[in-house]
Amino acid sequence: MPRVRILVVDDEEGMLEVCAETLRQLPDTEVCCEQQSRRAAERLATDRFDLLIADVRMPELDGIQLLRIARTHHPDLAALMLTAYPTVETAVQSMKLGAADYVAKPFMPEELEAAVRRLLETRRLREENLLLSRHVERNYMFDELIGRSAAMQTVFETIRRIAETDTDVLILGETGTGKELVARSIHGRSNRREGRFVPVDCGAIPEDLLESEFFGHERGAFTGAHARSLGLLEFADKGIFFLDEIGELPLRLQAKLLRVLQDRHIRRIGAQDEIAIDVRVIAAASRDLEEEMSQQRFRMDLYYRINVGRIVLPPLRERADDIPLLVDALVKRYAREMRREDVEVDPEVLEILSSYPWPGNVRELQNVIKRTLAMLREPIITAEDLPDDIVVRATGHPLGGQGGFFDLRDCRLAHFERDYLRNIMRSCRGNVPEAARQARLPRGTLYRLLKKHRMDPGEFRG
């Protein structure tokens, strides 16, 4: 087990001795003491420490200044402040800089030891969680796809098997489920990874231009054809040609595509000779192609020709267990793109998002997360930050107005907090450390609650 290093900074020699004697009783712990805060700042710039314990009031650099310097070198360094003059303002300053707790002077050695043990245990758990999250990402991330549900694990395994072959593939799934991501994953894992990946949205190109876009044309083939042009199929030679929304293809183009799939030759518009191409075709559809065939809007022979390798993507509403993973990944990605600090997600938000049916699937979830982060004012996403329509449909509770779900919840929560704080501060006669102990709250959390409800501990000391 690695040795824990603690730096204690206090201008009182006696206090340093008490801290050192107490903390050296902890197993696998090295205690370093500094009476001069300037010297401590120099050590923080060059040495590695797991915990900083500093007095708030010191000559040269006070504890707040020292903590600010420590944060520039070690953003994750745990910190514990010592003070004989605890105030809400000082607590808020310290907490903003990342101090995890206070110990008020004078203190019993047992109190200091308990606080340090708690901070070191929190640090250990945080490191374990980071390790676990990396492990989770390895298990549940497949290229750009994310999912731990049985349905997505089946998709991942199918991609692995299909990528090793050179067969054509049909990907089925609702709009926004990630069909192009699957196609790109197959490309990246196939023996064509060095070739081009050429995507085309069959529903986005006007019908009168589709044939020219697919097969290319010779100069003079039609009005406006002033030069020879390669088609997308020829451009994808030695690579993969991805047909998104193949159900949108008109029947005339379906027949020509079928011929290409059968003999792997194309003829540019206006040309006499055919050109051999080496291309793998991956098609995707959100329409029900069997229904389209029954309505004679999609060729049966083309369907069976592309339906060699088949992947069916589940809608997001059928894999709600994946939503927390997706939210975590999307929040991290978009927060980084927007240059925001680390953003947390309230557990209630995950409950709401997991209850919403997501008709637009993962693409809709992406847009909701991006919109929420763009409007976010605090570094934590709460239910109130989500779009109203998402919350209403997920919970069935109307937002806003007298008696609304969130209005009543917030009102009752604030009322409870005020009553609880008032009662416990009275019983402890304004002693914040004792109140925190009885409430089983970190002292910093108690200070934040007191500040939120504008309560001064001094009011209760009479």
Side-chain angles (χ1 to χ4, degrees):
M1 181 176 178
R3 194 170 181 80
V4 174
R5 301 189 75 223
I6 301 175
L7 177 62
V8 183
V9 188
D10 198 303
D11 59 319
E12 298 179 22
E13 185 177 355
M15 183 58 64
L16 286 177
E17 292 176 357
V18 169
C19 291
E21 184 178 348
T22 301
L23 299 178
R24 283 173 181 148
Q25 305 302 315
L26 298 174
D28 299 308
T29 301
E30 177 185 349
V31 182
C32 304
C33 296
E34 281 295 342
Q35 196 170 349
Q36 297 179 0
S37 54
R38 288 282 183 191
R39 172 60 183 157
E42 294 172 1
R43 294 193 66 173
L44 285 167
T46 58
D47 292 357
R48 180 196 66 81
F49 294 99
D50 301 292
L51 173 62
L52 169 66
I53 301 176
D55 188 19
V56 171
R57 293 194 178 184
M58 293 184 292
E60 295 184 310
L61 296 174
D62 63 29
I64 301 296
Q65 292 172 313
L66 185 62
L67 182 54
R68 187 175 285 109
I69 292 171
R71 279 281 166 265
T72 63
H73 300 290
H74 308 285
D76 299 325
L77 178 66
L80 176 68
M81 308 305 290
L82 306 176
T83 181
Y85 310 96
T87 65
V88 172
E89 290 74 20
T90 304
V92 170
Q93 269 190 297
S94 302
M95 296 308 155
K96 284 183 177 179
L97 290 171
D101 207 348
Y102 259 93
V103 172
K105 297 178 180 179
F107 56 81
M108 298 295 291
E110 295 81 4
E111 185 179 358
L112 176 65
E113 181 182 344
V116 169
R117 284 184 181 274
R118 184 168 60 250
L119 291 181
L120 294 178
E121 177 65 11
T122 300
R123 171 181 165 275
R124 183 187 66 80
L125 291 174
R126 183 171 64 248
E127 290 178 347
E128 288 182 357
N129 286 336
L130 286 173
L131 183 63
L132 179 61
S133 66
R134 295 191 190 103
H135 179 70
V136 166
E137 287 180 1
R138 284 198 298 272
N139 284 342
Y140 301 140
M141 292 192 69
F142 190 90
D143 300 332
E144 293 297 312
L145 297 161
I146 298 174
R148 63 182 169 196
S149 61
M152 287 306 294
Q153 292 297 313
T154 299
V155 169
F156 298 163
E157 180 58 31
T158 305
I159 291 174
R160 289 189 189 95
R161 294 180 179 180
I162 286 180
E164 296 173 355
T165 71
D166 208 33
T167 60
D168 296 329
V169 181
L170 176 61
I171 306 170
L172 300 174
E174 295 179 5
T175 299
T177 49
K179 296 185 289 294
E180 184 171 341
L181 291 180
V182 171
R184 289 185 181 276
S185 180
I186 293 172
H187 172 252
R189 292 169 175 268
S190 71
N191 57 8
R192 294 177 180 266
R193 67 180 68 91
E194 301 300 326
R196 295 187 182 94
F197 179 87
V198 181
V200 55
D201 187 342
C202 299
I205 302 175
E207 184 175 342
D208 56 345
L209 296 179
L210 271 172
E211 186 173 359
S212 175
E213 289 290 325
F214 275 33
F215 303 104
H217 60 261
E218 295 290 342
R219 180 182 177 184
F222 50 83
T223 303
H226 301 299
R228 172 187 289 179
S229 175
L230 295 181
L232 294 173
L233 278 163
E234 189 175 350
F235 186 67
D237 188 46
K238 301 294 191 297
I240 285 181
F241 186 56
F242 175 56
L243 283 160
D244 197 9
E245 297 300 346
I246 192 173
E248 303 285 344
L249 270 184
L251 286 169
R252 181 173 59 85
L253 261 295
Q254 291 180 28
K256 290 201 170 189
L257 177 63
L258 175 63
R259 187 168 182 274
V260 171
L261 294 177
Q262 289 171 338
D263 58 25
R264 279 348 192 233
H265 282 75
I266 62 167
R267 181 185 287 116
R268 300 191 192 112
I269 298 174
Q272 298 297 320
D273 299 327
E274 290 190 331
I275 302 170
I277 58 171
D278 175 16
V279 66
R280 183 181 188 181
V281 174
I282 300 178
S286 57
R287 289 187 180 186
D288 184 341
L289 293 185
E290 293 185 0
E291 174 64 22
E292 294 295 297
M293 286 189 293
S294 69
Q295 299 296 323
Q296 298 185 343
R297 291 192 293 262
F298 197 82
R299 294 181 61 109
M300 185 177 296
D301 46 4
L302 176 59
Y303 174 78
Y304 290 119
R305 186 65 186 78
I306 60 175
N307 192 24
V308 181
R310 179 188 178 100
I311 296 176
V312 180
L313 284 175
L316 189 53
R317 62 183 174 275
E318 292 181 6
R319 55 185 188 105
D321 288 349
D322 292 337
I323 290 177
L325 288 173
L326 288 164
V327 170
D328 180 65
L330 293 173
V331 166
K332 288 178 180 176
R333 180 199 304 176
Y334 295 138
R336 186 167 56 248
E337 291 176 2
M338 297 178 188
R339 297 181 180 179
R340 285 183 171 274
E341 299 294 331
D342 291 340
V343 177
E344 298 180 11
V345 180
D346 190 290
E348 185 182 15
V349 169
L350 296 179
E351 292 180 16
I352 292 172
L353 296 181
S354 298
S355 301
Y356 181 72
W358 299 108
N361 293 292
V362 179
R363 186 178 297 132
E364 184 183 7
L365 177 60
Q366 289 175 325
N367 292 337
V368 167
I369 297 299
K370 190 178 293 186
R371 180 172 28 152
T372 300
L373 283 172
M375 302 299 293
L376 197 63
R377 289 171 293 186
E378 301 292 335
I380 181 169
I381 300 176
T382 66
E384 288 82 352
D385 297 311
L386 295 175
D388 291 355
D389 55 330
I390 299 292
V391 178
V392 170
R393 191 166 178 185
T395 65
H397 293 295
L399 284 174
Q402 187 174 4
F405 172 76
F406 290 104
D407 291 335
L408 290 173
R409 186 199 63 181
D410 292 344
C411 180
R412 292 182 180 180
L413 179 59
H415 185 72
F416 164 79
E417 287 180 353
R418 283 193 297 271
D419 283 352
Y420 184 90
L421 291 172
R422 193 177 292 113
N423 291 334
I424 198 167
M425 292 305 294
R426 281 174 183 163
S427 67
C428 295
R429 297 182 180 276
N431 186 323
V432 176
E434 177 61 21
R437 187 186 66 79
Q438 290 190 21
R440 298 180 184 176
L441 286 173
R443 199 171 308 168
T445 300
L446 183 56
Y447 274 118
R448 284 196 295 272
L449 289 170
L450 290 171
K451 180 176 173 56
K452 172 184 174 182
H453 295 286
R454 299 179 181 177
M455 292 185 186
D456 185 355
E459 297 175 2
F460 303 92
R461 289 176 185 148

